[in-house]
Amino acid sequence: MKLTILATALTTALSLGLSGAAQASPLPDFPFISVSGEARLEVAPDKARIQFVIRHTAAKADAATQAVYKQGRDLMQFLAAQGVTEADIDAAQINKEALYKDYNDRTITGYETSQPITVTLNQLANYVAVMDYLFKQPHIFSIHGSFDSSQREQLELKLSQQAGADARRRADQLAGAQGVKISSVFAITEAGGWGQLAGDFGFSGGAVSFSTMRKPEMADSSANLVLPRHITLQKSVNVIYKIKP
């Protein structure tokens, strides 16, 4: 009797465990094919974003702050001359930090004032002049430029459609090779991968890479600055298709 009860309890526990595992499985409970589709497009950039930090260190807080103020005023005058409006300039709050002698000795030896700035250039013709100015300023650091297309939204919509068509083509080929047919779409995502197929089926941004660089046609030292001939917009989608015999 005890043996029978033990065997029954063990069978019930295994049954419940298998049932729970089945319920926890992220895989669809029907035949399916999972494929990826890709699409790329090379476009000439027509806008740029430049990020940098105005920063100055001085023995007194007012000296450090005044230097950042002055550099900011000079910068605004220069950008205005380049046709950059205030709407294209995003300035964060000015930050002040005390400088200490060392980690253990908290005696203040000076102050550092900084302000992060982001400038959007809607005309690449001004890119070289702006970058050249920034590199030559004594209180501007951490300069980084990136390029983009004003038509990104429209182009990425087309790329998403092309990537979807590529996924369908691959699914049809794969299904045909196995003697089955595509039934309908179960899920689609632009994420990098399915993981365990349990993630949300949302959308993410496309990748951007840079191609061969070109030098602007300028005779002075700023000709060492370069612009990309094109940027590569890319979209990839992952699709789960239901299949039928």
Side-chain angles (χ1 to χ4, degrees):
M1 179 64 69
K2 291 183 179 180
L3 182 60
T4 302
I5 293 174
L6 179 61
T8 301
L10 180 59
T11 301
T12 302
L14 288 174
S15 177
L16 290 174
L18 291 174
S19 176
Q23 292 178 356
S25 175
L27 295 174
D29 59 356
F30 51 80
F32 69 92
I33 290 178
S34 176
V35 296
S36 297
E38 296 182 352
R40 296 184 180 184
L41 179 65
E42 294 182 350
V43 298
D46 58 7
K47 61 186 300 185
R49 186 174 68 169
I50 305 175
Q51 297 173 293
F52 53 92
V53 178
I54 301 176
R55 184 171 62 244
H56 185 70
T57 300
K60 294 184 178 182
D62 59 345
T65 303
Q66 288 299 327
V68 171
Y69 287 163
K70 182 180 185 306
Q71 183 70 80
R73 290 193 297 269
D74 293 344
L75 173 68
M76 293 296 290
Q77 292 178 1
F78 171 79
L79 292 177
Q82 296 296 316
V84 179
T85 66
E86 291 188 9
D88 298 323
I89 303 172
D90 185 11
Q93 288 288 342
I94 293 178
N95 182 56
K96 185 191 74 175
E97 297 288 345
L99 303 177
Y100 301 97
K101 186 174 183 179
D102 57 44
Y103 181 79
N104 295 316
D105 188 344
R106 307 304 285 172
T107 301
I108 295 178
T109 59
Y111 298 88
E112 180 180 274
T113 304
S114 61
Q115 184 177 32
I117 306 287
T118 300
V119 176
T120 299
L121 298 179
N122 294 308
Q123 295 183 4
L124 279 187
N126 299 328
Y127 178 81
V128 172
V130 172
M131 290 292 280
D132 185 57
Y133 172 86
L134 295 176
F135 281 123
K136 293 177 180 178
Q137 298 307 299
H139 306 311
I140 294 181
F141 303 91
S142 304
I143 305 168
H144 173 72
S146 59
F147 302 90
D148 205 350
S149 169
S150 59
Q151 301 299 311
R152 170 181 286 275
E153 185 175 349
Q154 298 92 316
L155 294 174
E156 286 191 338
L157 176 59
K158 293 181 180 179
L159 287 173
S160 293
Q161 295 170 345
Q162 293 173 3
D166 182 52
R168 180 59 190 240
R169 177 184 60 80
R170 297 185 187 206
D172 285 335
Q173 291 178 347
L174 185 59
Q178 302 301 319
V180 296
K181 295 182 179 180
I182 298 297
S183 173
S184 60
V185 175
F186 171 69
I188 182 170
T189 177
E190 285 186 343
W194 287 111
Q196 294 184 351
L197 298 179
D200 293 333
F201 300 124
F203 291 89
S204 62
V208 178
S209 60
F210 293 95
S211 64
T212 305
M213 308 292 277
R214 61 182 171 85
K215 291 185 177 181
E217 298 178 356
M218 298 182 67
D220 58 19
S221 60
S222 62
N224 291 324
L225 296 171
V226 293
L227 297 172
R229 291 185 183 277
H230 64 262
I231 57 176
T232 302
L233 303 182
Q234 177 179 341
K235 282 288 184 179
S236 61
V237 297
N238 301 309
V239 186
I240 294 178
Y241 291 97
K242 292 182 178 182
I243 57 176
K244 59 183 179 181

